Amino acid sequence: MYFIDNSFLDVWLSDENDYSYHWEQRAQRGLIHRWDNAPIIVRLNLSRHHFHNGEEIKVVKSNLFTDSKRHSEWFLGLLWDKLKELRID
């Protein structure tokens, strides 16, 4: 999904409860925000559920819900709030 500022949202959900919620803003603000549970991050001694906070290498534990419906609703609400903050008049 592309937004008015040309940033975009990419959501991936699997039947096995794997997920990625990726908000790509590198071209606009030099940022990415992604919540996912890719297993490679386990090597960094973090929870499999993690958050890329602005950069690929800036990774912290995620507080997303384990239920995919709840974390989808939470994520879309957060994104809505952030887009309102960035609103272009």
Side-chain angles (χ1 to χ4, degrees), residues 9-61:
L9 170 65
D10 180 32
V11 175
W12 177 75
L13 303 169
S14 78
D15 290 337
E16 292 79 29
N17 261 346
D18 293 327
Y19 64 88
S20 173
Y21 295 91
H22 179 88
W23 184 18
E24 177 70 43
Q25 312 165 67
R26 282 183 255 225
Q28 296 73 23
R29 291 172 279 290
L31 300 171
I32 62 136
H33 290 94
R34 184 172 64 246
W35 292 260
D36 68 78
N37 63 347
I40 195 162
I41 221 62
V42 173
R43 289 189 229 157
L44 298 177
N45 292 323
L46 290 172
S47 166
R48 182 170 178 191
H49 304 274
H50 57 277
F51 171 55
H52 298 263
N53 191 5
E55 301 174 28
E56 288 287 344
I57 61 171
K58 207 169 164 186
V59 181
V60 297
K61 185 177 184 225

